Amino acid sequence: MAAMDFALTEQQQWIRKEVAALARSFPPEYWLERDRTATYPWEFVRAFGQAGWLGMIVPEAYGGSGLGVTEAALMLHEICAAGAGTTGCSPVHFYCFPPMPVIKHGAEALKQKYLPRVASGEIVMSFGVTEPNAGTDTSRIQTFARRDGDRFVVNGRKVWNTNARQATHILLLARTEPRDAHPGKPFRGMTLFFTEFDRARITVQEIEKLGRAAVDSNEIFIDGLEVPAENVVGEVGQGFYHLLDSLNPERVFTGIEAVGIGRAALARAVDYARERVVFDRPIGKNQAIAHPLAAAWARLEAAEMMCLKAAWLFDQGQPCGAESNAAKFLAAEAGFEACDAALQTHGGYGYAKEFHVERLWREVRLYKIAPVSQQMVLNHLSEHVLGLPRSY
Ligand SMILES: Cc1cc2nc3c(=O)[nH]c(=O)nc-3n(C[C@H](O)[C@H](O)[C@H](O)COP(=O)(O)OP(=O)(O)OC[C@H]3O[C@@H](n4cnc5c(N)ncnc54)[C@H](O)[C@@H]3O)c2cc1C
């Protein structure tokens, strides 16, 4: 019987060490300034590109490192644990998640054309699924791609399109058949495209938001976007199913990002609790300060373990839907609780930008909403793990 082994391989330990060193070479003030001025962290992204980290999941045959979800998760964790928050991890995340359906389902020519440019960092991705009139019910998206000879012509609207102001390319889900074309199968008839972000045909309108001001999220309006037929990822009409394969890794990535952010906030809080003296004692001597931090540590450890278990299952080619969803759920809670305890530990200074935890607290809140809400995770677990009747 195979032994249960929680140890990281030598290569994984090396990745952690190297990524941590690079990420920590960007001080907290760098992130504060990006947030304050809402400027994209290009220096950070380029540094990761130059060091070869952006091609982590791209197979070696296409110029990447050919590593797994586990290694990519370790990288994203270290970026977040270094204090970069979503401002630092989201741009790198976009090199790990949207290319995945292309790697798994893309035609050879599509892979050869685009993956080396993803691996080198030349391509900047955005990802367009969510729509204002569909919300979480993806089967109701209205963006439509009409076949016209050897190309598709796309019209529609997407919301919360991250990176659209920077993107050179977009992974786009559109209907190619109406929802009722296959009775009882509302998720058929959608097609996935990997295509150039043609600014003559796509208008971008930024959404002002709670956190991560430096990395834009947008509403985009698509008006007659022409996409060559060879830019279809996988099969026409099967796009939603192709995407599904990549959603579990995305849950793992976002989960472990939340853990990393929680750890960055916790480290700051512990330092502060040791140093801040009130009533002639360091505040960390009070259990009302120490216990929430200790509990946060325990919850982060447990959430990380679930993330790594889900990543390991995925890399072994085993089903990991339940574990990936549970990992995202637990990590979003643990990350937020850690940031909240860290903010409280700082008292009034927790509210001040120069102590950095308020930014982490704002940013980590995202993970309870996106890429899938906590409620929808619980819906999934209720139905698919517990076997309870679908509630909606
Ligand atoms: C900063 C940010 C970046 C994002 N980036 C991207 C991106 O790059 N690309 C992209 O495609 N999307 C992106 N998203 C969108 C994100 O994935 C969605 O916001 C998220 O999936 C929730 O969908 P919604 O906002 O439409 O909420 P809705 O579907 O409108 O739901 C609203 C609320 O109702 C709850 N709810 C709905 N139905 C049920 C039910 N049956 N049972 C219980 N509760 C229910 C939801 O959980 C939620 O709390 C981003 C979002 C944010 C905030």
Side-chain angles (χ1 to χ4, degrees), residues 67-191:
L67 294 168
V69 166
T70 308
E71 287 76 18
L74 293 172
M75 169 175 71
L76 293 167
H77 174 269
E78 290 310 314
I79 290 172
C80 289
T86 55
T87 311
C89 75
S90 293
V92 177
H93 174 119
F94 269 75
Y95 286 91
C96 303
F97 159 64
M100 210 169 267
V102 180
I103 294 168
K104 289 195 84 175
H105 301 284
E108 188 53 36
L110 195 69
K111 292 193 213 182
Q112 282 186 8
K113 184 166 180 193
Y114 291 117
L115 290 179
R117 293 166 63 202
V118 170
S120 70
E122 181 195 331
I123 282 180
V124 180
M125 294 285 312
S126 71
F127 169 59
V129 168
T130 310
E131 293 190 8
N133 296 332
T136 306
D137 186 357
T138 305
S139 76
R140 293 193 188 269
I141 63 167
Q142 294 165 334
T143 297
F144 204 92
R146 180 175 50 79
R147 180 104 200 201
D148 180 12
D150 58 358
R151 58 185 191 151
F152 286 83
V153 180
V154 188
N155 285 287
R157 196 151 69 114
K158 295 281 173 187
V159 72
W160 291 116
N161 199 253
T162 296
N163 251 2
R165 282 164 66 90
Q166 328 295 334
T168 59
H169 290 74
I170 181 167
L171 182 72
L172 181 70
L173 189 71
R175 278 228 159 262
T176 37
E177 284 179 299
R179 188 174 184 273
D180 55 11
H182 303 276
K185 297 205 163 89
F187 291 100
R188 278 193 64 180
M190 288 185 267
T191 301

Side-chain angles (χ1 to χ4, degrees), residues 267-305:
R268 292 198 157 270
V270 170
D271 284 349
Y272 191 79
R274 271 202 215 100
E275 285 160 19
R276 172 73 169 168
V277 174
V278 184
F279 294 111
D280 296 326
R281 46 158 62 189
I283 56 168
K285 219 171 165 187
N286 303 304
Q287 288 181 338
I289 288 289
H291 282 186
L293 300 180
W297 181 87
R299 292 191 185 107
L300 290 167
E301 289 288 309
E304 181 190 39
M305 210 183 286

